[in-house]
Structures are given as C-alpha cells and as structure tokens.
Amino acid sequence: MNAFNYRERQLYAEDCKVSDIVAEVGTPLYIYSRETLERHFRVFDQALNGLEHIICFSVKSNSNLAVLRLFANLGGGADIVSGGELFRCLKAGMDPGRIVFSGVGKTTDEIRYALASGILMFNVESEMELDRIQEVASAMGKVAPISFRVNPDINPKTHPYISTGLKKNKFGVEVDRAVALYKKAARMNAIRILGIDCHIGSQLTTLSPFEETVLKLREIVEELQEEGIPIRWIDLGGGLGITYRDEAPPSPEAYADTVRRAASGMTQGFIFEPGRVMAGNAGILVTRVLYVKRGPVKTFIIVDAGMNDMVRPSLYDAYQEIRPVVETDRKIMADVVGPICESGDFLAKEREVPDAEPGDLLSVMSAGAYGFTMASNYNSRPRPAEVLVNGNEFFVIRARETFEDLVRGERIPPWLS
Ligand SMILES: *Cc1c(COP(=O)(O)O)cnc(C)c1O
C-alpha cells in the first residue's frame, strides 16, 4: 500500500533508511515517496480508462513544487484555491490549461492573475463572484471560462469541518438556483460557460454520496441542454478517502465504476480533483522523542513535532498511526504531544503507542496530505524540511526554515527606536 516498510527492524522510505535521512536533514521532517505518488496517480488514471478525463491534483493537500512537477510530468493538472497556489503550479511548470480555480473568496487580483495565466476554468461559487469575474474579464478584454460549483445538499458522512456539500455549508450555489444562474451567465459577454462542478467533502469512505452527486449534476446538465446551454466538462471534485486506521475506503476502480455507471451515455469530459488519495499515504512525518513524562494518571511522550507541524489530530480529532523508526514490540498507553503551549497540541491521545525513550525516532504515518500545507510558525517554530525519496536516493525539496525566515518581512518602526 505504501513505500514505508521495515527491513531488519529499521523503517525505510522506499530504499532509503529513514534514520539515515534524519541524520542528514534532522527532525521534524516530512518524507514523501516518489514511487507511491506516481502509483496513486496512475492507478486513478487507469481506473478512469474509457472516460475522457483530467486529474486536477488538489494543491492544498500538498503544494511542494517537486510534488506538483511530478504530477505535471504524468499529465496531471491542478485544482487551486488561491493565487499563491496558481503561482506554485506555474512555477512547477504545470500547463495552465489544466488548472481549475475553486474557492468561495476569490479576490479581484486573483481573478485577474488567473485570467492572464489562461487557466482552464473558474469554479464559480456565488452570483456575486460571477458578476465580479464578468467585470474583471471585460476590463481585460478577455472571456472567462467558468463552471458553477453546485451545492447538491448531499451528506458525505465525514467530519463536519470537511463536509462541504450541505445546504448549511458556505460552498457553491444552491441546486435550485443553478439553472437560473447559468441562464444569466449565458447572457454575459465576458463569460463562457464550460462546465459544472461539485465537491461535497473530504475523506469519504462510501460511494453512495458520489453516485447521488453525479445523478444530481446529470439532471442539471440535461436541463441546461434543453435550455440550449451545452456543458463541456463535469467536475466531480475530490474527496475519496484513505486508510488512516481501519477505514475501508472504496478503491479508485470502484469509484470510477460508480461514476461510469451514473454517467453512462453522457458525452461530457470529467474532471477530478483528488488530493488526499494521491498524497496522504505517500508521506510520513518523522519526529524525535525529547522527554517521557510518566505522571500519576497518564504518560506523555513529548516529541519535537507539534500541532504547528501537523494539525490534523488537534483540528479534526484525526487518527494518525504512529510507528517507531526502529521497530519495537513494546507498547505503552500514552499521549504523544508536541512542545506547543496548548493542551490541544497532540499527535496521539490516550492510545497504545510504541514505547519510546528520549532520542528515539517516531514516524507519524499518512502525513503526505494536509500535513506540511497546514503547518504554521505558531510558537515561532521554523517549519519542517521536506524530502522526496526516489529509490535509494533522496532530495531535500524544501529546506528547513531558519530563525531568519521567521522574521523575514518584519520591521520595527523608527518611532520605537
Ligand atoms: C480540498 C478540495 C479537494 C480535495 O479534496 P480531497 O479530499 O483531498 O480529495 C478538491 N476540490 C476542492 C474544491 C477542495 O476544496
């Protein structure tokens, strides 16, 4: 399933010994496997065989330039949610014609930048955004390709913070208003209707919400067809889940079969925006044990990675498996916590984890998506380094931040001298 396995009790990333990488690069450290990223892309791509499609990797899940280049080399595009992500994609050499722009709060500058770059389309999330895009495109003498992100009011049955397709969520336009908005857009001179879009949530482990989504979009596409508004691309978003613990998410093949069945007879091309399923299990976060605090009610293993380096456990109460870098059979009930001054700063809570001593290395598994990209400098901690492994070689694809990086851009006004 992934490239992180033990050989003679030592954890390897592909053919690199994790402890050797750490000896050179230090901790905390994100390590990604090229082989795994590529395999995840190819499996998804091949599952969609027979359906015209573009795989637009969700940049917010892992936005390192090297990762974006890797997917671009495989023919992938990108789903972006900010101007910064567009900048990264272009820098990584990605074809702008394979980039879609999602997000409820696109600024005028971001719209201008995306238009100038020639992206495939804007996934428009409100009527006001449509008006804004028309205005900006018109002023630039350009025509903006768009789709509407429809909110189908479908429960993805996942964590509330990563549910996005319910009526009460801020995302997309209401299904009932979609056709009226398409008709309005069709009359705008700087707007070209290209698609319809949807993204109902993340870490989905069942197929029925996806199926419902396709059927809902299909109804709208057929209605638009009757109104003389043809749709070229159907964007189904991302959201396919992965195994963190004991989840049994559908395979890309099962997912593709569901789409194929629900969309049978349709002539549109399909866009997919997978993030987690591409990158999640292709990465780990390695951290070193600083102290072990054996208290009256609890044992705390204090490590050098905190919620600023990996926020998923704190933010979503997410389970991330923790493995020792040197295999041990000894287990202990403990909290694995970071150095941050917050009680919410933990990587594992009240769980059986590898018994560890100060100096030992632990690996937080399934850390390749929403790991580094959600890292911050809270507590003035430099963000971790990132390494990409390729067989028996590895490359530092992002240097560890320095203290100077922490204060870059900060200035003391002269009247404080
Ligand atoms: C986050 C996001 C994705 C990716 O979701 P995954 O669950 O990582 O596949 C795709 N599309 C949009 C619009 C998103 O916001």
Side-chain angles (χ1 to χ4, degrees), residues 56 58 60-61 79-81 102-103 123 125 149 164 171 197-199 201-204 235 237-241 273-277 369-370:
C56 293
S58 171
K60 77 177 192 286
S61 69
D79 169 51
I80 58 166
V81 292
S102 306
N123 289 338
E125 305 219 11
R149 175 170 177 177
T164 52
F171 299 98
D197 167 54
C198 205
H199 172 73
S202 197
Q203 184 56 14
L204 273 70
D235 183 340
L240 194 55
E273 305 172 347
R276 197 185 306 274
V277 73
Y370 307 102

Side-chain angles (χ1 to χ4, degrees), residues 8-24:
E8 288 165 1
R9 314 226 102 199
Q10 286 279 342
L11 185 65
Y12 276 72
E14 298 190 16
D15 298 322
C16 295
K17 207 183 197 177
V18 167
S19 57
D20 288 347
I21 305 176
V22 167
E24 231 170 276

Side-chain angles (χ1 to χ4, degrees), residues 334-355:
D335 284 16
V336 178
V337 302
I340 301 281
C341 300
E342 300 265 355
S343 293
D345 177 30
F346 60 88
L347 296 172
K349 203 163 200 175
E350 290 161 15
R351 258 168 52 188
E352 200 161 70
V353 292
D355 196 5

Side-chain angles (χ1 to χ4, degrees), residues 13 30 57 71 123 146 153 160 167 176 191 259 278 305 327 343 355 376 379 384 408:
Y30 278 96
F57 176 61
F71 288 130
N123 289 338
I146 65 127
D153 197 28
K167 260 198 184 119
D176 303 341
I191 296 286
V259 173
M278 295 282 134
E327 210 174 11
S343 293
D355 196 5
S376 79
N379 280 208
R408 175 158 305 127

Side-chain angles (χ1 to χ4, degrees), residues 34-49 53 55 57 69-76 252-253 256 260 274 277-279 390:
R34 171 190 179 167
E35 194 266 326
T36 311
L37 289 166
E38 291 201 359
R39 180 161 37 82
H40 288 169
F41 185 94
R42 288 187 207 284
V43 164
F44 205 90
D45 198 32
Q46 279 160 18
L48 293 165
N49 226 331
H53 67 274
I55 298 177
F57 176 61
R69 170 67 62 87
L70 180 153
F71 288 130
N73 286 349
L74 296 173
E253 288 83 4
R260 218 179 263 116
V277 73
M278 295 282 134
N390 178 34

Side-chain angles (χ1 to χ4, degrees), residues 279-299:
N281 277 322
I284 60 174
L285 169 63
V286 186
T287 181
R288 195 179 286 281
V289 176
L290 299 172
Y291 304 104
V292 178
K293 204 163 156 176
R294 294 177 207 275
V297 290
K298 262 192 174 186
T299 296

